Amino acid sequence: MRRHCLLAVMLLAACRDTTSHVREFDGPAAFRYIETQVGFGPRIPGTEAHRRAARWLDSLLRQRADTVIVQSWTHVTAAGDSLPLTNFVARFRPGAAKRLLFLAHWDSRPTADSPTSPDSTKPVPGANDGGSGVATLLGVADVLKRTPPSIGVDLLFVDGEDYGDFTKTPKDVLIGSRYYAAHPAPGPQPLYAVLFDLVADKDLQIFEEGNSLVGAPEVVELVWNTAKDLGYAGTFEATPKHTLIDDHLELQKAGIRAIDVVDFDYPSWHTKDDTIDKVSAASLQIVGDVAVALVRREGE
Ligand SMILES: [Zn+2]
């Protein structure tokens, strides 16, 4: 009996799937992109894991995008250290005037210094913080390689988001997005930009973010409505909760309509427990489906 019900539900879901949208994003494949990143170790600027992750990203993006822009520079920290940093911009249809920008940070945090962290001498493994946003963007790159978009899409992987202290050394955080805002890809600005951060928590709940509502409320509405249309209103809660300092603010300052899609209710945030067992392919599937739907709806 139970099995029959389940089968009926699955058939219904399958029917609905073919009538409303074709599922293009591959959640399990995106999950493997998190596994690979965690396998490198913490992607802290200046470390071998960071260099290996950079080579991996560069290679994957060149196989998928029409063009890849690599931005490399040296950042001198408040403590006087020199950090080698790199942003990647994977461009689909670089000549198209109508475009979207999706971004995520690919570095991971050197210190697990959350107020709830049991050990702040350890780095953050970054399965969710860093790993999930990159996995989402790479999953979108796979989709756009298979079926190219009819609009332009830029996938921006920023470095140095999470290096310093957000209150004591603000110049040592959001470094890559600040750099990109000062050195944007050539051509017209995107219609809007969506930052994906902490989007693979097994217990995924994405509330509207305060600075996104201030800077680009119409983009928040569009993204949450898109999620609702896909049947994800239970995950994308259409109410504000947290207000965060994140990469979207640096783009907003440069005049880009940028918002943050982020699940900040994540107990392992900035602890050594931000590990692969806390994230899921099912959560990536939801966020990835929304991202792809945003691209497809602008192309209609
Ligand atoms: Zn972080």
Side-chain angles (χ1 to χ4, degrees):
M1 186 58 198
R2 209 166 154 201
R3 180 165 282 262
H4 279 116
C5 288
L6 183 64
L7 186 64
V9 169
M10 283 169 69
L11 284 171
L12 262 175
C15 291
R16 203 171 53 214
D17 228 37
T18 51
T19 50
S20 61
H21 69 283
V22 180
R23 175 164 277 180
E24 299 189 85
F25 188 90
D26 185 340
F31 184 82
R32 290 193 288 278
Y33 289 138
I34 300 187
E35 289 180 321
T36 302
Q37 292 173 80
V38 171
F40 290 134
R43 285 79 65 209
I44 301 163
T47 65
E48 182 56 25
H50 186 261
R51 284 189 287 277
R52 287 181 67 199
R55 285 196 294 273
W56 173 75
L57 267 178
D58 187 271
S59 155
L60 284 191
L61 295 175
R62 284 181 197 287
Q63 291 162 34
R64 286 157 180 76
D66 295 325
T67 56
V68 178
I69 298 173
V70 179
Q71 302 181 323
S72 293
W73 73 102
T74 301
H75 173 81
V76 179
T77 68
D81 297 324
S82 288
L83 293 182
L85 298 180
T86 304
N87 287 344
F88 298 93
V89 193
R91 313 198 80 194
F92 294 82
R93 298 196 57 177
K98 184 180 184 186
R99 26 197 341 106
L100 297 185
L101 173 64
F102 295 156
L103 70 153
H105 75 92
W106 70 271
D107 62 307
S108 49
R109 187 165 183 77
T111 48
D113 55 358
S114 151
T116 62
S117 175
D119 185 353
S120 61
T121 65
K122 294 272 193 319
V124 176
N128 199 15
D129 195 355
S132 67
V134 167
T136 302
L137 265 54
L138 288 176
V140 170
D142 285 334
V143 168
L144 301 184
K145 168 77 176 168
R146 277 194 296 271
T147 310
S150 54
I151 58 164
V153 178
D154 295 319
L155 305 176
L156 168 62
F157 300 77
V158 291
D159 203 351
E161 184 270 344
D162 224 351
Y163 191 81
D165 185 305
F166 279 77
T167 47
K168 291 186 200 134
T169 57
K171 73 171 259 192
D172 294 340
V173 296
L174 316 178
I175 309 166
S177 53
R178 198 176 308 122
Y179 187 91
Y180 184 81
H183 307 87
Q189 275 204 353
L191 290 176
Y192 62 87
V194 182
L195 166 63
F196 295 97
D197 197 5
L198 300 161
V199 286
D201 184 2
K202 274 182 173 166
D203 174 25
L204 190 67
Q205 262 200 312
I206 299 175
F207 290 90
E208 296 175 349
E209 185 276 327
N211 283 322
S212 306
L213 286 167
V214 171
E218 79 290 358
V219 181
V220 173
E221 192 180 354
L222 174 73
V223 172
W224 263 252
N225 280 341
T226 301
K228 189 178 167 197
D229 290 346
L230 293 173
Y232 296 142
T235 300
F236 277 73
E237 297 262 5
T239 44
K241 189 165 180 184
H242 304 286
T243 295
L244 302 173
I245 295 167
D246 209 342
D247 286 316
H248 62 316
L249 291 183
E250 296 297 335
L251 298 192
Q252 283 187 2
K253 285 183 205 162
I256 297 172
R257 316 289 298 172
I259 70 157
D260 198 358
V261 167
V262 56
D263 175 3
F264 199 63
D265 299 300
Y266 181 57
S268 302
W269 176 75
H270 289 190
T271 76
K272 65 175 178 48
D273 300 319
D274 180 6
T275 45
I276 195 74
D277 53 307
K278 310 299 188 308
V279 295
S280 77
S283 296
L284 285 170
Q285 185 72 56
I286 292 171
V287 176
D289 283 346
V290 172
V292 171
L294 292 170
V295 172
R296 299 303 184 212
R297 87 185 293 165
E298 290 302 333
E300 279 167 4

